[in-house]
Amino acid sequence: MAISRRRQPPKTKEQPKFQCRDCGHSYDWHEIGANGKPFMCRCPFYTGGKFCRFLSDPQCEHFIKREVNNGKAE
């Protein structure tokens, strides 16, 4: 006799609200895309700033909100 087991519904991971472009730690925005805007940056916490990250990557545990004045990032 086979034992019937119900499958657990998959746990949904909470989607991050922000991306690397919103972080105050991101710097050296470069690699201009076809739309004329940069899409890569560096982060001091991601391999010590040696390698690049996409500006569209989800926020990490070191995230701090970038301050904005009059629509321009400082």
Side-chain angles (χ1 to χ4, degrees):
M1 183 187 286
I3 298 175
S4 164
R5 292 189 184 190
R6 282 196 236 170
R7 282 186 82 187
Q8 293 281 334
K11 294 180 182 178
T12 57
K13 204 175 202 183
E14 187 176 319
Q15 294 294 326
K17 294 180 181 179
F18 299 104
Q19 299 175 333
C20 285
R21 73 174 21 107
D22 303 318
C23 182
H25 293 298
S26 67
Y27 67 97
D28 188 24
W29 290 20
H30 59 284
E31 295 296 326
I32 306 300
N35 61 356
K37 297 182 180 179
F39 64 90
M40 298 203 78
C41 69
R42 294 189 189 276
C43 175
F45 299 104
Y46 180 68
T47 64
K50 184 176 180 182
F51 296 104
C52 302
R53 294 188 64 110
F54 288 103
L55 285 169
S56 59
D57 282 350
Q59 72 185 46
C60 66
E61 64 273 5
H62 304 288
F63 180 83
I64 59 167
K65 184 82 168 122
R66 180 181 292 276
E67 293 187 28
V68 179
N69 289 337
N70 294 332
K72 295 182 180 180
E74 290 184 4

